[in-house]
Amino acid sequence: MPRTLRIPVLTLLLIAALTPAVRTQTPEKDRRMQWWRDARFGMFIHWGLYAVPAGDYKGQRSKEIGEWIMSWANIPRAEYEKFAPQFNAVKFDAAKIVGAAKGAGMKYIVITSKHHDGFAMYDSKVSHYDIVESTPYGKDPMRALADESRKQGLAFAFYYSIMDWHHPSQYVKAAGKDETAGHGKTEMREGQKPVYVAYMKEQLKELITGYDPAVLWFDGEWVDWWTEADGKDLYQYVRSLKPDILINNRVGKGRKGMEGLNKTDQEYSGDFGTPEQQIPASGLSGVDWESCMTMNDTWGFKSYDENWKSVERLVQNVIDTASKGGNYLLNVGPTAEGEIPAASLERLAGIGKWMTVNGESIYGTTAGPFKTQLPWGRATAKAGKLYLHVFNWPADGKLTVPGYTEAITRAALLSQPGRSLQFKATAEGLVIEVPTAAPDPIASVIVVER
Ligand code: FHN
């Protein structure tokens, strides 16, 4: 009689906990993700050697994103490395950067530890190609940023690129040259993948054990030589180092383009979907997701990208994302001297002004109950309350919530909680009597108690 294979319950639970899948919502994942779901709003930071050329290589400029300059300007590796001695973050101020994020109402920061150019923006022991050894700055800004984030009460997280244009395992056949520049498709050299995966795991280990990030935000996963099986392995490796860490779906093949979620029936590794430069029209149902977006048109700093989104647009993006049950990760691209551009700081301050008064209607909320988009704005929900975000204020002083028939006990402006508003049920839905002038030019919030 063969012995029954007894797998200790703890082992089963651990395997279940480490089984990665965006669409698998379990009590373990709910517990791990609660802070992130409550946060709703974070800062993305793209900072690296690409801030030195700042979108201009020997007079060559482009509409392409700044952190891809090694690719679109087809800069050979040896040439790109020359930016390192020019990178001197003398104006880097961790307290100022974290303060700007906190002031905007952001609850976490995700910063590029290593982008596609392979340059480590932290003190890496497995690569000399890093900010401490290769630049005149010679210090580790990630240490300062991690410590300052915790001091100011924000979660600290890392972005890490799987594709690496500098590592010798990868190359690009650009115009017949066997180059490591990023122009065109990045290939893996024969037999070198295990070498590179081991290198990546070493860097991830030093990032996790050295800085204790709350999230590992992978990217650069689209290369042909990276598979979903590789992603599952990397997901489990990272979670084995820090079981409570969150990992996005770009660790494997679950992203599928800019919409950020592979909707096939296969389960993909990762904890949340990652729409990019867009907010899904109806959100992404049944999964956690985070829309990442630039403030102008580039992630990494470009000296001539002045196409900035307005504060109104950015605040309404935060609201729109939360109303669909997602997080909004808004990017800043510091200069080579370590400063956030003034135009970004102005927008962060403007967003913070709105969030200071109305943050209750964003943090800890879930998607509003409406299946079709409200004609005048958006809605979020939390603990027996509905938050109506009115972008277009009714000229006749009557705000109609179409088709809303649930009984409510009270309505008031979030900015004037002591002043109840009159309301009545009608054939069209709930009608709330509101002041003739909109309390806020960007979005006025009415709290409805149910
Ligand atoms: O290629 C990168 C790009 O440089 C940037 O980091 C964005 C941010 O999500 N991700 C990739 C493009 O999808």
Side-chain angles (χ1 to χ4, degrees):
M1 178 72 165
R3 283 183 66 246
T4 310
L5 175 63
R6 294 185 185 291
I7 302 176
V9 171
L10 189 60
T11 308
L12 286 173
L13 289 174
L14 186 62
I15 292 168
L18 292 182
T19 303
V22 176
R23 291 207 294 253
T24 309
Q25 308 294 37
T26 61
E28 182 279 330
K29 182 178 173 183
D30 290 343
R31 178 190 57 76
R32 194 160 42 96
M33 295 212 67
Q34 196 54 56
W35 73 265
W36 185 89
R37 292 170 180 166
D38 289 345
R40 283 288 175 253
F41 186 30
M43 176 183 272
F44 212 173
I45 304 178
H46 277 69
W47 192 32
L49 290 189
Y50 36 80
V52 172
D56 186 318
Y57 181 63
K58 297 181 178 173
Q60 184 186 348
R61 292 187 163 194
S62 164
K63 286 191 178 307
E64 293 288 338
I65 43 187
E67 69 284 3
W68 271 70
I69 193 164
M70 184 175 172
S71 173
W72 54 257
N74 206 5
I75 306 171
R77 171 177 159 175
E79 281 301 303
Y80 190 86
E81 289 172 344
K82 290 175 184 171
F83 294 136
Q86 302 171 56
F87 188 95
N88 195 0
V90 291
K91 293 182 180 173
F92 173 77
D93 179 336
K96 193 174 175 190
I97 291 174
V98 176
K102 185 171 186 176
M106 294 161 157
K107 296 294 185 184
Y108 59 103
I109 291 174
V110 181
I111 186 165
T112 47
S113 62
K114 183 199 81 168
H115 204 264
H116 311 330
D117 62 4
F119 188 75
M121 288 296 288
Y122 70 98
D123 185 11
S124 174
K125 299 297 178 242
V126 296
S127 169
H128 298 300
Y129 195 49
D130 75 14
I131 191 168
V132 174
E133 289 189 57
S134 300
T135 76
Y137 183 60
K139 289 181 280 185
D140 179 352
M142 300 300 128
R143 165 61 54 227
L145 215 50
D147 295 346
E148 187 64 30
S149 295
R150 285 186 189 92
K151 186 176 161 193
Q152 295 199 38
L154 274 70
F156 177 76
F158 278 133
Y159 164 112
Y160 186 88
S161 176
I162 292 165
M163 178 173 72
D164 188 320
W165 296 330
H166 186 269
H167 193 275
S169 63
Q170 294 156 65
Y171 70 103
V172 173
K173 290 195 190 81
K177 297 193 295 298
D178 185 349
E179 254 299 342
T180 55
H183 186 72
K185 216 166 104 178
T186 305
E187 313 279 357
M188 176 58 71
R189 293 186 196 284
E190 188 65 36
Q192 288 303 298
K193 185 172 169 182
V195 173
Y196 178 63
V197 172
Y199 170 84
M200 252 200 312
K201 287 184 172 179
E202 275 302 302
Q203 285 203 317
L204 291 167
K205 186 175 182 179
E206 55 189 9
L207 287 169
I208 291 166
T209 56
Y211 303 84
D212 192 27
V215 181
L216 233 302
W217 211 97
F218 285 99
D219 203 14
E221 83 294 343
W222 55 80
V223 287
D224 296 347
W225 50 267
W226 190 253
T227 68
E228 176 57 25
D230 295 323
K232 281 187 169 55
D233 171 64
L234 201 58
Y235 179 94
Q236 292 176 356
Y237 172 72
V238 168
R239 292 275 317 275
S240 71
L241 294 172
K242 182 177 182 182
D244 273 4
I245 200 166
L246 306 184
I247 301 168
N248 72 353
N249 68 347
R250 299 186 189 186
V251 65
K253 294 296 193 180
R255 167 200 186 182
K256 192 170 173 263
M258 301 302 259
E259 66 274 20
L261 185 73
N262 201 326
K263 297 191 183 84
T264 64
D265 56 1
Q266 177 184 344
E267 283 288 3
Y268 289 95
S269 41
D271 295 315
F272 57 91
T274 50
E276 179 170 323
Q277 298 290 33
Q278 57 187 271
I279 299 167
S282 313
L284 294 176
S285 64
V287 299
D288 291 289
W289 55 277
E290 172 193 72
S291 276
C292 58
M293 204 174 278
T294 53
M295 233 184 248
N296 47 10
D297 292 328
T298 179
W299 302 92
F301 177 67
K302 276 172 77 177
S303 61
Y304 51 90
D305 181 338
E306 297 299 340
N307 189 24
W308 300 98
K309 297 172 182 71
S310 67
V311 170
E312 175 177 337
R313 167 88 186 280
L314 295 169
V315 168
Q316 293 185 354
N317 282 350
V318 174
I319 295 166
D320 186 24
T321 308
S323 76
K324 294 164 180 169
N327 283 21
Y328 189 58
L329 188 65
L330 181 60
N331 184 74
V332 295
T335 65
E337 292 187 314
E339 271 192 321
I340 294 178
S344 298
L345 291 173
E346 284 158 28
R347 281 151 184 82
L348 291 171
I351 297 166
K353 190 162 166 265
W354 187 89
M355 291 294 279
T356 301
V357 175
N358 302 287
E360 170 189 331
S361 71
I362 302 293
Y363 305 129
T365 62
T366 53
F370 304 101
K371 294 291 169 264
T372 52
Q373 191 145 291
L374 294 164
W376 36 257
R378 302 289 185 272
T380 56
K382 173 167 56 176
K385 290 181 180 176
L386 210 49
Y387 295 93
L388 307 178
H389 301 83
V390 186
F391 300 164
N392 309 310
W393 195 253
D396 62 0
K398 293 183 187 327
L399 183 78
T400 301
V401 187
Y404 191 75
T405 55
E406 267 195 59
I408 71 166
T409 58
R410 187 170 184 267
L413 289 171
L414 185 56
S415 56
Q416 299 172 39
R419 177 183 167 193
S420 295
L421 300 175
Q422 297 301 309
F423 57 84
K424 62 183 175 187
T426 71
E428 292 73 39
L430 172 67
V431 175
I432 303 171
E433 308 281 333
V434 294
T436 45
D440 186 293
I442 295 178
S444 305
V445 182
I446 295 172
V447 191
V448 170
E449 295 177 22
R450 301 189 270 187

